[in-house]
C-alpha cells in the first residue's frame, strides 16, 4: 500500500449532534452497567452480545494485557436511560479478530509508524455476523443513534492515537450506516447452512433430498461410519447441563488449542458461568461411548454415564446456530463432521432455525451443505495518508473475494436439476 495521495473520507465526528438530552459515556468494563438495560438493546436474542457473555470475558480475565483486548465500550444515555451502545476494544495485536490485517500492519511499519493501538467494535474471539451498533428497539431514531455511536468511536480512536476504528462482522443495518458515513468496507467469506424456505426441512432426510446423489451418499456414508463405531450423541444446553459438563468441555477446548499451537483464552469458569446465565442459548453436542457398566446400551443412561470422546460447543439466537469450538480424545473417521456439522443441522431443523454458521473458513464444508456467504467489516482509518490506500486495498480484495465466492458456488452440493437424482445404493 502507498501512504501518499490520500483523499480523506467525510469525518463522521464532524457533524456530532448538539442534542443535550443525549449523554455519551466511555466504560472500561461492563461490571457497573445494568445487565437488563444492556440486554434490552438487542432484546436478549443475541447470545454473544448478552451482558453475561461480554462481562464474563472481562471478569474471568479472558481479555486484558495478556491477550491484547482492552474494553472501551461506548454508551449513549437519553434522560438517564441506556438507548445505544457499542462493544469496543483497544487492541495491541490482531489475535481473536478473524479479519486479518497483516498487510495493513506491514504498511504502517514500512513507513515507520505504529499500527497499534487500534479500536475494534467486535465480540472477542467470535467471527459471527450480528449487530455492532446496538440501539434500543423502541428508540425512534435508529440511524441517528448509530451515527452518533460511530462519531463517538472515532473521537475515542483519536484520543487513543489509534490507527483506525474497525467494525467487525456488522449486520446489514449497521453496514447501511457505515456506508452512508463513507467508511471503507472489506469483504470476507464464510460457509453457512440455510434451512429450506417455507417452513424449513421436515427432517434430515428432507435436507439430504435437496442434495445431489453423490453428495447425499457421501453424507450418509460418513454418518454410518460414526454409528458403526458405536458412538451415540446427546445434546445439552445451558439449562440442562451441569457444571461438570462445561468443565469437561473446557478440557476439550484447551486440548484443541494446544494441539494447534493456539492460545486458549477462555477459562473453565467462563464456560461454566455463561452456560448457567445464557441457558438455552448455549448448546453442546457430545459424542459418547455407551456406559462401560452396560456394554449393550445404545444410549447414555439417565445420569449421562458413558465416556465422552468429543464435543462441539454452539450458541443460538432466535434464528441462527453458531458453531464455536470443538475437541476430541479419539480420532475417529468422520467424527468431526458428525459432531460439528450434522448434529448442528439436525438441531436447526428440529428447532426451526433459519441458519447455521459453523465458524470461520473451511471449503470442506461446501459438500456438506454449507455455501459461500459474504461477511463484512467497516473501517475508518485515522492515520494521515493511509485512508485512500486502505480503501483501494479493500476494493481490489472485494473483487477477488466476489470472484472466489462465485467460483466456489459452482461446487454447490445442492441439486441444480434432477438428472443426477438416482436412487442411493
Amino acid at each position: 500500500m502507498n501512504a501518499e495521495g490520500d483523499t480523506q473520507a467525510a469525518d463522521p465526528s464532524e457533524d456530532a449532534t448538539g442534542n443535550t438530552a443525549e449523554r455519551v459515556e466511555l466504560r472500561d468494563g461492563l461490571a457497573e452497567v445494568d445487565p437488563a438495560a444492556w440486554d434490552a438493546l438487542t432484546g436478549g436474542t443475541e447470545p454473544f452480545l448478552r451482558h453475561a457473555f461480554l462481562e464474563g470475558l472481562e471478569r474471568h480475565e479472558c481479555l486484558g494485557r495478556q491477550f491484547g483486548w482492552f474494553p472501551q465500550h461506548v454508551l449513549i444515555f437519553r434522560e438517564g436511560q441506556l438507548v445505544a451502545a457499542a462493544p469496543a476494544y483497544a487492541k495491541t495485536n490482531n489475535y481473536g479478530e478473524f479479519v486479518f490485517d497483516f498487510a495493513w500492519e506491514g504498511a504502517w511499519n514500512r513507513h515507520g509508524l505504529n499500527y497499534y493501538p487500534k479500536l475494534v467494535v467486535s465480540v472477542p474471539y467470535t467471527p459471527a455476523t450480528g449487530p455492532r451498533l446496538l440501539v434500543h428497539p423502541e428508540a425512534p431514531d435508529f440511524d441517528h443513534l448509530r451515527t452518533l455511536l460511530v462519531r463517538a468511536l472515532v473521537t475515542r480512536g483519536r484520543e487513543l492515537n489509534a490507527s483506525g476504528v474497525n467494525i467487525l462482522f456488522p449486520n446489514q443495518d449497521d453496514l447501511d450506516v457505515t456506508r452512508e458515513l463513507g467508511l471503507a468496507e472489506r469483504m470476507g467469506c464464510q460457509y453457512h447452512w440455510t434451512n429450506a424456505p417455507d417452513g424449513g426441512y421436515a427432517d434430515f432426510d428432507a435436507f439430504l433430498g435437496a442434495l445431489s446423489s453423490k453428495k447425499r451418499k457421501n453424507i450418509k456414508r460418513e454418518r454410518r461410519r460414526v454409528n458403526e463405531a458405536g458412538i451415540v450423541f446427546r445434546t445439552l444446553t445451558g439449562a440442562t447441563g451441569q457444571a461438570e459438563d462445561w468443565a469437561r468441555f473446557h478440557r476439550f477446548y484447551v486440548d484443541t488449542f494446544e494441539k494447534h499451537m493456539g492460545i486458549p483464552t477462555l477459562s473453565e469458569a467462563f464456560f461454566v458461568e455463561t452456560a448457567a446465565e445464557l441457558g438455552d442459548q448455549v448448546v453442546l453436542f457430545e459424542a459418547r461411548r455407551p456406559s462401560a457398566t452396560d456394554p449393550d446400551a445404545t444410549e447414555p443412561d439417565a445420569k449421562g454415564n458413558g465416556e465422552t470422546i468429543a464435543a462441539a460447543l454452539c450458541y443460538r439466537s432466535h434464528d441462527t446456530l453458531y458453531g464455536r469450538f470443538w475437541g476430541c480424545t479419539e480420532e475417529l473417521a468422520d467424527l468431526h463432521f458428525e459432531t460439528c456439522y450434522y448434529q448442528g443441522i439436525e438441531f436447526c431443523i428440529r428447532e426451526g432455525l433459519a441458519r447455521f454458521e459453523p465458524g470461520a473458513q473451511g471449503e470442506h464444508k461446501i459438500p456438506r451443505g454449507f455455501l459461500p456467504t459474504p461477511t463484512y467489516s467497516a473501517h475508518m482509518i485515522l492515520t494521515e495518508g493511509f485512508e485512500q490506500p486502505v480503501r483501494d486495498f479493500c476494493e481490489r480484495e472485494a473483487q477477488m473475494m466476489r470472484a472466489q465466492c462465485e467460483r466456489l458456488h459452482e461446487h454447490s452440493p445442492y441439486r441444480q436439476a434432477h438428472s443426477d437424482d438416482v436412487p442411493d445404493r
Side-chain angles (χ1 to χ4, degrees), residues 187 376 395 397-407:
M187 178 182 172
Y376 297 94
E395 291 176 355
E397 182 184 52
Q399 292 177 357
M400 292 186 291
M401 292 302 301
R402 283 191 288 270
Q404 180 184 10
C405 282
E406 291 176 2
R407 176 181 61 82

Side-chain angles (χ1 to χ4, degrees), residues 102-151:
F102 304 110
W104 299 9
E105 179 183 356
W108 262 250
N109 292 341
R110 286 193 296 274
H111 286 80
L113 300 172
N114 293 324
Y115 186 62
Y116 300 105
K118 61 181 178 180
L119 192 63
V120 301
V121 183
S122 173
V123 177
Y125 319 121
T126 307
T129 294
R132 295 295 177 263
L133 307 174
L134 315 182
V135 177
H136 196 287
E138 295 181 2
D141 47 358
F142 275 62
D143 288 347
H144 164 70
L145 289 170
R146 289 192 181 101
T147 300
L148 188 57
L149 284 170
V150 175
R151 292 170 181 161

